[in-house]
C-alpha cells in the first residue's frame, strides 16, 4: 500500500484528482467506481474543473456507483444517486449509457443486486475504485461483521452508518444499503482510498495497523497489490507512520 500524508483536505483532493486523471490518460474508457460522502466531494469538483478545460479527456469515462441507501427515492437529496448525478455525471456530461447504478428504490432489492452484478461482469472489472473510509471501517456498505460478502448484496446498516450526514438530511430514512461486495472491490486494477479529518483518526490508525479482520472491512485492502491511500494530516494524527510505507 502506498501511503501519503497530505497537509490538508484540499491537497489530498488535488492528489486524488490527479491520480484519477492519470489513470484516465492511460485508459480512456476507464471504469471508475465512485464513492459518495464528504471525503471525495472536492475531488469531484476538481475533475469537473478539468472537464471545463478539456472535455475530450472524459468522453469515454464510465462510472459505477459504489453503493446506495435503500428505501430512498432516487431524487432524494440524500441519495447517492442525487450526489453523483449532481457532482459528477452532469458535470462531466456522462449519460446513462456510461453509468452503472443501483436504484435506491428497487421493487426487489435482491434482483437489483443481481442486475448490477450482471452489469459489472459485462463492463468490469473496475479500473479505478475510489473509496472513502466509514467511521466504523466500512468500505461501500461492507459493514463490520463476522464474515464479509464477495458480491453485490443488501447490507444491514449499523447505527453509526445511519448517522451519516448524507441521510441525516434525507426526507426518508434508509432501511438498508445496496453495495458492491469485497471481491468486486478487490478485483479493481487500482484502489484509491481517501481518509480525511480528525474524526477519522482512530479508525485510520486501526486500518493502518495492518491487522486484516472482517471487523474492519477496509483492512482487506492490505491484500491488494495496488492501493494508494491518501490521508490528510488531521486523519493521520494518531498514526505511527511517516507516509510512503
Ligand atoms: C458512506 C458512503 C460511502 C462513504 C462513507 C464515508 O457510508 N456510502 O461510500 O465512503 O460513507 O463517508 P465520508 O466521506 O462522508 O466520511
Amino acid at each position: 500500500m502506498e501511503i501519503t500524508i497530505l497537509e490538508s483536505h484540499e491537497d489530498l483532493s488535488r492528489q486524488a484528482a490527479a491520480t484519477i486523471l492519470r489513470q484516465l490518460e492511460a485508459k480512456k474508457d476507464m471504469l471508475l467506481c465512485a464513492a459518495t460522502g464528504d471525503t471525495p466531494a472536492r475531488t469531484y469538483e476538481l475533475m469537473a474543473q478539468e472537464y471545463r478545460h478539456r472535455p475530450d479527456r472524459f468522453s469515454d469515462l464510465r462510472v459505477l456507483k459504489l453503493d446506495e441507501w435503500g428505501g430512498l427515492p432516487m431524487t432524494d437529496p440524500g441519495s447517492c444517486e442525487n450526489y453523483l448525478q449532481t457532482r459528477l455525471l452532469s458535470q462531466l456530461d456522462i449519460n446513462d449509457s456510461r453509468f452503472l447504478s443501483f436504484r435506491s428504490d428497487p421493487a426487489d432489492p435482491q434482483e437489483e443486486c443481481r442486475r448490477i452484478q450482471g452489469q459489472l461482469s459485462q463492463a468490469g472489472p473496475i479500473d479505478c475504485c475510489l473509496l472513502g473510509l466509514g467511521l466504523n471501517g466500512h468500505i461501500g456498505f461492507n459493514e463490520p461483521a463476522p464474515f464479509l460478502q464477495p458480491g453485490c448484496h443488501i447490507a444491514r446498516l449499523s447505527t453509526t452508518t445511519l448517522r451519516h450526514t448524507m441521510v441525516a438530511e434525507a426526507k426518508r430514512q434508509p432501511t438498508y444499503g445496496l453495495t458492491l461486495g469485497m471481491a468486486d472491490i478487490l478485483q479493481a486494477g487500482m484502489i484509491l482510498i481517501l481518509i480525511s479529518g480528525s474524526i477519522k483518526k482512530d479508525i485510520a490508525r486501526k486500518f493502518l495497523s495492518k491487522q486484516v479482520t472482517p471487523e474492519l472491512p477496509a483492512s482487506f485492502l492490505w491484500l491488494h497489490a495496488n492501493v494508494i491511500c491518501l490521508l490528510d494530516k488531521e486523519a493521520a494524527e494518531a498514526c505511527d507512520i511517516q507516509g510512503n510505507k
Side-chain angles (χ1 to χ4, degrees):
M1 189 175 302
E2 190 186 313
I3 302 166
T4 306
I5 301 170
L6 286 310
E7 197 53 37
S8 62
H9 180 249
E10 177 65 19
D11 291 353
L12 171 151
S13 306
R14 289 191 178 274
Q15 184 132 337
T19 305
I20 295 168
L21 289 170
R22 227 178 13 252
Q23 296 282 315
L24 189 56
E25 206 61 54
K27 189 173 182 216
K28 211 163 181 285
D29 67 345
M30 159 174 118
L31 180 60
L32 171 70
C33 175
T36 55
D38 295 328
T39 316
R42 178 69 182 145
T43 303
Y44 295 147
E45 248 176 52
L46 293 164
M47 289 170 69
Q49 263 176 34
E50 176 63 17
Y51 175 84
R52 294 195 280 277
H53 297 294
R54 293 270 318 271
D56 54 296
R57 293 186 84 171
F58 299 87
S59 59
D60 296 327
L61 172 64
R62 299 170 298 147
V63 175
L64 165 67
K65 187 201 286 177
L66 170 67
D67 55 6
E68 182 58 278
W69 305 101
L72 298 188
M74 289 284 268
T75 52
D76 191 293
S79 70
C80 300
E81 181 72 19
N82 181 69
Y83 177 109
L84 288 178
Q85 289 288 353
T86 317
R87 296 170 194 259
L88 198 61
L89 304 169
S90 63
Q91 304 292 330
L92 306 183
D93 217 4
I94 295 178
N95 60 27
D96 285 353
S97 69
R98 288 192 281 134
F99 181 44
L100 310 182
S101 160
F102 288 106
R103 288 199 64 86
S104 56
D105 58 354
D108 180 346
Q110 288 287 7
E111 179 48 39
E112 183 62 359
C113 291
R114 280 193 290 273
R115 184 180 74 86
I116 295 299
Q117 196 78 68
Q119 289 195 350
L120 178 57
S121 68
Q122 296 284 315
I126 296 162
D127 295 299
C128 174
C129 188
L130 176 60
L131 299 174
L133 177 65
L135 271 178
N136 61 1
H138 72 210
I139 46 176
F141 282 134
N142 292 278
E143 294 275 45
F147 61 87
L148 300 175
Q149 300 193 45
C152 296
H153 62 277
I154 299 169
R156 200 158 101 203
L157 300 176
S158 68
T159 337
T160 325
T161 301
L162 284 166
R163 278 195 227 113
H164 192 279
T165 48
M166 282 177 83
V167 281
E169 288 155 33
K171 295 203 175 90
R172 210 180 295 168
Q173 275 299 294
T175 44
Y176 59 94
L178 293 151
T179 185
L180 298 190
M182 295 299 292
D184 301 325
I185 294 171
L186 291 169
Q187 278 161 23
M190 73 93 63
I191 297 173
L192 177 56
I193 180 162
L194 310 182
I195 314 177
S196 170
S198 56
I199 193 170
K200 297 280 172 71
K201 68 177 186 201
D202 292 333
I203 196 67
R205 181 180 47 76
K206 287 185 191 146
F207 166 52
L208 293 176
S209 74
K210 299 191 189 176
Q211 295 181 4
V212 179
T213 162
E215 293 304 329
L216 202 168
S219 65
F220 277 69
L221 299 183
W222 283 103
L223 306 179
H224 192 282
N226 191 10
V227 178
I228 295 179
C229 173
L230 305 182
L231 302 101
D232 61 19
K233 245 170 64 181
E234 291 187 348
E237 193 188 311
C239 301
D240 184 24
I241 43 157
Q242 303 305 315
N244 290 324
K245 277 191 190 166

